[in-house]
Amino acid sequence: MKINPATEQKINDIIEKMSLEEKVLQMFQMDKSAHKEAYSELSKLNIGSYLSIMGEEVDYLREKAKKTKNAIPPIFGIDAIHGHSLKNGATIFPSQLAMACSFNEELIEEMGAATAKEVNADGLDWVFSPVLCIARDTRWGRVDETFGEDPYLIGKLGAAIIRGYEKDGLVASCAKHYIGYGEATGGRDSYDTEVTLRKVRETFLPPFKEAVDAGTSTVMTAYGTLDGTPMTAHKELLTDVLRGELGFEGFVVTDYLNFKLISTKHRVAANPAEAARLGITAGNDMSMNAVAFIGAAIDEVKNGNIPEAAIDEAVRRILRVKANLGLFEEKERMPKSVIACKEHRELNHKLTRESLVLLKNNGVLPLKNAPAKIAVIGPNADNIANQYGDWTFTSHRPAEEFAQIKNDYYTVLRGVREIFPSSEVEYALGCPVCGEDGADIEKAVRIAESADIVILALGDELSQNGEAKDRADLELSGKQNELLRAVKATGTPVVTVMVTGKPLCIGEVLESSDAVVQMFGGGDLGGLCTAELIAGKFNPSGKLPISYPRATGALPCYYNGYSSWHWGKYCDVEKGALLSFGYGLSYTEYEYSDIAVSKTQVHMGESVKISANVTNKGAMAGDETVQLYVTDHYSSVMTPRINLRGFKKIHLEPGETKRVSFTVTPADLALVNRREETVVEPGKFTLYISPCAPDFTYEDGEYARVIEVVE
Ligand code: BGC
């Protein structure tokens, strides 16, 4: 966010002319579908913002606003979280979780810029993205919206997408949900997050710091509560930390109806008036859709319970974002032709290829020759709504709007048909994702028996992903395991494609399949890229941004946990994650060697360099994500066993070696102590350069070097 003195002056001039009522209306954002009557009345006035409105109505409302006394342009927000995906026909990129598998900041930045163009061409100004929540209890329904489980990766990818959204001044981004929302106890969406402020600083704040530094224009207050305080009323975190410490200059919008929820659900405000007072003085600038907020805020100012200066400050922040976007001027939009244009499709193609993760391969892949007959089986082989996942027009818009899907999309079935034109392709559903209606496992077995290879697409469905769609059980639902067993029993090689919104318990899938590919929310091209991967048209490079549990009860299983747990395991489940953060196979083999540090003793405040050779030992060129991790041996508070502190994606031709270096700065070695200060404590640290999350060690090793920080 840029502060421009001339613009600030103009904003102050506008505010001076505004009545209290007009100011409070600027602090209101309206969703038409929730308030049909209020909408027709309020839209005659100069309200600050609208959400989820698309099409001609946007221009109509803009024109209407021009006829009001102050003629302040409204800002139009939309949940464009993986492309302008609520619009039928716009580019749908892979889900955030899928994008994270690419570990590719550059591509994600480009994706942000492409989305900004499509959103702007459609007349909208503001994307409610990125989601910076941390997905560690994966029972939570919104895992697919996140960049995974690691604060460092989330921060870097969040910053990249924000740079992309905001760089051409076309749209504002919105870092959400502030803060700790993904960590709600029991994976229960919008429930209380039982963590301390020290923990907030250690784990949940770093991605938001990255977002503010990258220039996000807005931040959204989470639904949940933190240690019993609703985020909407959390002055310390919304004002002292977000603005005071992180230096955020944009505006804060609440999540949907938060001003209402703090009295009706959280019960910390007795009525709308108290809710308005708590929420505004805590640091919220815009109320999403809580209509009672308007009257309550006006009354509270009149009664002297909210200082008008707080209202002025909120309006100032909102107008600042509008001015930065150029909304006060008549400005050209991007042409409609950018929506789903060739350039965005090519970008989507690249990103989708990098978003797939090869989880197992016994050598069956890539298919050397086109098989004579391919059996494509499974509930997610030809289901685009499940492949798109949440926040697309198929999940969030009225059914009539997607009766005819305009996107040129590829399910796995279409992809296989196109990439293997000379093969005979037969398809069977096998069974639905949930329940058994329409299951016909016998048919699936019949086509599997006569095929040379089975491509089996299993996974989850829309009813199992999204807001308030938390799962108590992450095993494959319905008859999917039965289908897997029956197909496996035919003896035909099985390539399983997991089309899911989150890591499921796939122990049996890994064991029974010859190869396994993970597609988290594949967007338009997930099916095409999966078929290309199977055919060896590119070398898979995706790595996991999140760990897989061995059983639902063995959650959480995130890689950066503590080492203080008795024996480190449940007595009835094998130790550790089934698949851990950073893991992912390719069609070649990378060798790591000659790891070295620039010095083994480092003075406080100094940086140290660590490097290693990475060699492509196989016959196929590929891209490898080289990862830097850090362990603090002893410290005044417990620290995670290992923490990601860097990653670099490099290209290697067959036989090629590259030396990869990282500079480890004091910030990479820091912890948050009991006084909530971020400090480096002297002592030993292990630094690792490795292809995935390494095992914790106190010793030098293949991937590890120990250094000592001295006073
Ligand atoms: C979600 C937000 C979203 C908002 C507007 C809420 O229910 O939690 O992520 O941006 O709705 O649609």
Side-chain angles (χ1 to χ4, degrees), residues 108-308:
I108 289 176
E109 182 173 332
E110 283 181 41
M111 175 272 167
T115 301
K117 286 184 184 154
E118 299 202 14
V119 167
N120 172 273
D122 211 25
L124 306 168
D125 319 300
W126 181 16
V127 294
F128 298 137
S129 170
V131 172
L132 301 180
C133 299
I134 297 177
R136 307 205 291 191
D137 188 332
T138 51
R139 290 174 294 176
W140 183 42
R142 303 186 72 173
V143 171
D144 61 325
E145 294 182 48
T146 73
F147 284 125
E149 72 186 19
D150 180 68
Y152 181 89
L153 181 66
I154 295 170
K156 293 296 172 204
L157 301 185
I161 207 168
I162 287 167
R163 287 195 300 272
Y165 286 142
E166 301 233 0
K167 72 171 165 208
D168 298 322
L170 298 174
V171 300
S173 62
C174 182
K176 69 185 189 185
H177 308 80
Y178 190 79
I179 197 169
Y181 173 54
E183 190 83 352
T185 305
R188 296 174 181 180
D189 190 33
S190 87
Y191 196 58
D192 188 47
T193 296
E194 298 172 48
V195 300
T196 60
L197 289 178
R198 191 198 74 79
K199 185 60 112 191
V200 167
R201 288 178 184 283
E202 177 202 73
T203 305
F204 302 98
L205 197 58
F208 284 93
K209 180 177 179 346
E210 291 278 351
V212 172
D213 291 348
T216 194
S217 291
T218 70
V219 168
M220 188 184 291
T221 319
Y223 276 135
T225 55
L226 202 132
D227 189 20
T229 300
M231 280 315 304
T232 316
H234 212 303
K235 186 164 191 300
E236 188 173 355
L237 284 171
L238 281 173
T239 296
D240 306 349
V241 173
L242 181 63
R243 298 189 186 284
E245 290 179 32
L246 303 192
F248 176 61
E249 305 277 9
F251 74 82
V252 172
V253 60
T254 71
D255 205 339
Y256 210 89
L257 295 180
N258 276 10
F259 268 97
K260 180 174 175 189
L261 301 181
I262 59 173
S263 62
T264 57
K265 269 206 167 176
H266 303 139
R267 295 181 289 110
V268 304
N271 47 46
E274 202 175 344
R277 179 170 55 73
L278 280 177
I280 293 172
T281 52
N284 298 280
D285 303 310
M286 185 177 277
S287 164
M288 191 187 285
N289 211 33
V291 174
F293 162 86
I294 302 173
I298 294 171
D299 289 348
E300 283 297 274
V301 177
K302 286 188 178 157
N303 295 338
N305 294 331
I306 301 176
E308 189 154 353

